[in-house]
């Protein structure tokens, strides 16, 4: 959520080490300008592949919270939440209105929501966060590790080190006067230890809003990056994204293994960087 005056980002192509510093950049202009069109294609793909999605792993009934992205409300996650409900999860919206950033209402409300849902179900919750919602989800996991089972982010630039990596920064800044004080913002992700729960970062190199490099971290025990082909606005409707979310949520509590596409679907997932 915070940014520093730097033009460096993390890249995963370096030999010998998954991390090295490279210059930051915004997503390509082509991908940015075609976001609405490609989002419509993602929705169409979802409709066309509903029969395939019926074969997604069934859930165990544990509670799932879904956080929307910047400028979005619970209406943006309706299809995603209905899909997960159909798999057997107790799915909860965030219920805090439109996500305009880390306002006091949003920050306090998310803490209260995690506690409320966890206590009501007598166990930890999984959190699925879209874009800024994923950054919030990771913070909830850090603050409530015993109440959060796992975190799944979709195009969430939690590893952003420079504002240029997100074309949504002007919108974020527009609401900044309503946000909590800057000294309450969390430190840069790169300066902190891994979040204490399993984490899956779903990203797309054709994301037109945030740079894909800002949406990933060094893979390790109980943390992974899964590449898909999706627009930023279409993550919640993209069938390959939905399959990954279902697969990750279906893991038994206390167990974890990296995502592996089922037979016949491997070609739908680009090779991870």
């Amino acid at each position: 959520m915070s940014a520093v005056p730097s033009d460096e980002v993390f890249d995963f192509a370096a030999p010998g080490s998954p991390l090295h510093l490279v210059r930051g950049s915004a997503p390509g202009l082509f991908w940015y300008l075609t976001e609405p069109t490609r989002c419509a294609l993602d929705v169409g793909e979802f409709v066309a592949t509903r029969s395939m999605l019926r074969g997604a792993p069934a859930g165990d009934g544990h509670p799932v919270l879904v956080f929307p992205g910047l400028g979005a409300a619970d209406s943006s996650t309706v299809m995603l939440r209905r899909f997960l409900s159909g798999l057997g999860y107790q799915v909860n919206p965030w219920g805090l209105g439109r996500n305009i950033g880390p306002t006091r209402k949003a920050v306090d409300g998310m803490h209260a929501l995690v506690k409320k849902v966890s206590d009501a179900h007598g166990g930890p919750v999984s959190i699925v966060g879209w874009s800024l919602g994923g950054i919030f989800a990771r913070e909830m996991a850090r603050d409530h590790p015993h109440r959060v089972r796992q975190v799944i982010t979709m195009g969430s630039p939690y590893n952003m080190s420079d504002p240029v990596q997100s074309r949504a920064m002007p919108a974020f800044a527009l609401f900044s006067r309503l946000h909590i004080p800057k000294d309450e913002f969390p430190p840069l992700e790169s300066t902190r230890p891994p979040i204490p729960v399993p984490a899956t970062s779903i990203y797309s190199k054709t994301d037109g809003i945030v740079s894909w490099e800002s949406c990933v971290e060094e893979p390790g025990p109980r943390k992974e990056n899964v590449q898909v082909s999706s627009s930023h606005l279409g993550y919640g409707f993209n069938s390959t994204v939905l399959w990954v979310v279902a697969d990750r949520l279906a893991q038994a509590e206390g167990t974890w293994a990296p995502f592996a596409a089922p037979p016949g679907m491997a070609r739908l997932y680009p090779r991870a960087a």
Side-chain angles (χ1 to χ4, degrees):
M1 284 165 29
S2 58
V4 296
S6 166
D7 58 359
E8 297 175 326
V9 297
F10 292 107
D11 180 78
F12 287 78
S17 172
L19 295 177
H20 75 285
L21 296 174
V22 297
R23 294 225 172 249
S25 62
L29 185 60
F30 171 80
W31 299 123
Y32 174 65
L33 294 177
T34 59
E35 272 286 333
T37 300
R38 292 186 294 115
C39 177
L41 293 176
D42 287 325
V43 175
E45 181 185 84
F46 169 78
V47 174
T49 58
R50 280 182 297 181
S51 59
M52 178 195 76
L53 289 172
R54 293 192 185 101
D60 60 4
H62 80 268
V64 177
L65 301 179
V66 180
F67 292 172
L70 177 65
D74 286 326
S75 57
S76 68
T77 65
V78 168
M79 291 178 68
L80 171 59
R81 287 185 284 116
R82 285 179 177 173
F83 169 68
L84 296 178
S85 293
L87 293 177
Y89 297 102
Q90 299 296 315
V91 185
N92 302 264
W94 90 322
L96 296 168
R98 192 167 298 279
N99 184 353
I100 59 173
T103 63
R104 180 62 61 193
K105 173 186 175 182
V107 173
D108 292 347
M110 285 185 290
H111 285 292
L113 179 62
V114 169
K115 294 177 181 178
K116 176 183 176 181
V117 175
S118 175
D119 289 346
H121 291 271
V125 305
S126 291
I127 310 179
V128 180
W130 190 342
S131 196
L132 178 59
I135 296 177
F136 288 162
R138 289 173 66 92
E139 290 307 312
M140 293 301 104
R142 290 185 185 279
D143 290 342
H144 307 282
H146 300 299
R147 295 179 183 272
V148 177
R149 176 164 164 169
Q150 69 170 305
V151 169
I152 302 171
T153 58
M154 307 184 305
S156 300
Y158 59 85
N159 228 343
M160 185 173 70
S161 60
D162 192 294
V164 73
Q165 292 177 268
S166 173
R167 292 187 180 273
M169 284 306 294
F172 184 85
L174 182 66
F175 300 110
S176 61
R177 63 184 179 83
L178 303 174
H179 295 166
I180 58 176
K182 288 289 182 65
D183 60 7
E184 293 186 35
F185 277 35
L188 275 176
E189 182 74 23
S190 60
T191 67
R192 310 165 78 186
I195 64 173
V197 304
T200 297
S201 302
I202 301 173
Y203 72 99
S204 171
K205 288 191 174 182
T206 59
D207 190 316
I209 304 299
V210 298
S211 68
W212 69 266
E213 295 95 337
S214 66
C215 301
V216 296
E217 63 181 333
E218 182 178 353
R222 304 200 307 168
K223 57 178 182 174
E224 64 180 339
N225 309 302
V226 179
Q227 185 181 354
V228 298
S229 294
S230 176
S231 64
H232 186 86
L233 300 177
Y235 281 115
F237 316 105
N238 185 289
S239 57
T240 57
V241 173
L242 297 182
W243 188 281
V244 175
V245 174
D247 179 90
R248 303 291 78 199
L249 291 176
Q251 297 181 101
E253 185 175 3
T255 66
W256 189 86
F259 173 75
M265 291 182 64
R267 62 183 180 82
L268 299 178
Y269 296 94
R271 184 174 181 179

